[in-house]
Amino acid sequence: MTDNEKAARQKKISHAIMWIVLLVLFICFIAPFLLVIINVFKSRADITANPLSIIGAHGFTLENFPNAINRMNFWKVIGNSAIITISSTILTILVSSMAAFVIVRNGSWKICALMFSLMIASMVIPFQVLMVPLVSVYGGLLGVLNHRLTLILMHVGFSVSMAMFMFHGAIHTNIPLDLEEAATIDGCSRWQTYWKIVFPLLKPTIATVAIINAMAYWNDYLLPSLVLTSKDLYTIPIATQQFYGTYSTDIGLVMAALLLAMLPILILYVFLQRYIVEGVTSGAVKG
């Protein structure tokens, strides 16, 4: 056997091993989702008796969906989640992109360099470190907890550093200064240059920041559970928690609620996923 044949054989073997590993990882990741799909159409008794069966002993049922919708006040809850997620995502994109634009185009200013360094440093602080002071100050001293606006502003505050870092890299790498200078010569103000020239060119990064943060806001349980105490303000993760009892859990209702909660963010991901790789790359590479 020649050296070329040995190299080709080793290449085929490595490719086969890679595909096997990827297949195993795919099965591990997709298995929980498939279990939800299978069990959401079964009764509670069938789920408990045999969660791996495709159809339970009592047959196919859709009762879990209306029961979950009624029990968790689904339309009210999904409205709260939508308001908080959409508002937080839009504010995060606007604030972080504007901050990145100012910092990139005024990099010689010491205050911009200092602010950029502080925002990057804040990314390493775990949220758990801030939990107790957050509740003590905003709840005990200021009394501003249990409001949607408070939660929205907190989401933006915790997310803006990472988003600004991504926009900073995208503006610095992908948007030539010549475009802005040409816009200035044509009579555009700094504000018009940002909206008409810079912001439209940030579409891939905007899509990436939107999907990453929207998924985080939509699925977040810890921060809303600390801020929101009124049932009228519950988001989907908090409302789903009521199906978990001290001595028993209605798994069918839990899976129906989780599947219903998953659909909006899954649809958003399907529409924006083609921008994610491009946006992450443009925001991470700095020239």
Side-chain angles (χ1 to χ4, degrees), residues 103-114:
I103 290 174
V104 171
R105 297 313 183 208
N106 300 282
S108 59
W109 295 4
K110 292 184 178 180
I111 186 65
C112 288
L114 177 62

Side-chain angles (χ1 to χ4, degrees), residues 5 7 98 202:
E5 291 176 345
M98 291 178 185
L202 293 174

Side-chain angles (χ1 to χ4, degrees), residues 192-206:
Q192 291 173 324
T193 300
Y194 169 77
W195 280 113
K196 296 181 179 180
I197 305 298
V198 177
F199 194 75
L201 294 176
L202 293 174
K203 185 184 295 185
T205 308
I206 291 172

Side-chain angles (χ1 to χ4, degrees), residues 80 84 88 144-158 217 220 223-225 227-228 233 235 238:
N80 292 334
I84 292 170
S88 302
V144 294
L145 296 182
N146 203 33
H147 295 282
R148 291 194 193 97
L149 181 60
T150 303
L151 180 58
I152 290 170
L153 295 178
M154 286 183 179
H155 275 318
V156 174
F158 286 119
Y217 302 150
D220 189 21
L223 184 57
S225 67
V227 176
L228 306 177
L233 300 177
T235 58
I238 304 177

Side-chain angles (χ1 to χ4, degrees), residues 226-282:
L226 296 174
V227 176
L228 306 177
T229 57
S230 173
K231 288 187 176 181
D232 292 334
L233 300 177
Y234 276 0
T235 58
I236 288 178
I238 304 177
T240 305
Q241 188 66 24
Q242 67 181 312
F243 297 131
Y244 294 90
T246 304
Y247 302 103
S248 63
T249 300
D250 197 330
I251 299 296
L253 297 186
V254 171
M255 292 186 177
L258 293 177
L259 187 61
L260 290 171
M262 188 191 310
L263 291 178
I265 206 67
L266 185 62
I267 294 172
L268 177 66
Y269 177 81
V270 169
F271 279 103
L272 298 182
Q273 59 88 23
R274 66 191 183 96
Y275 294 107
I276 290 180
V277 175
E278 182 182 354
V280 170
T281 304
S282 64

Side-chain angles (χ1 to χ4, degrees), residues 36-44 46-47 54-56 58-70 250 252-253 255-257 259-260:
V36 172
I37 297 296
I38 291 172
N39 289 294
V40 76
F41 299 108
K42 295 192 296 188
S43 64
R44 179 178 179 180
D46 291 336
I47 296 174
I54 297 178
I55 299 178
H58 296 86
F60 185 88
T61 180
L62 295 173
E63 292 182 357
N64 289 326
F65 290 101
N67 291 339
I69 289 173
N70 293 331
D250 197 330
L253 297 186
M255 292 186 177
L259 187 61
L260 290 171

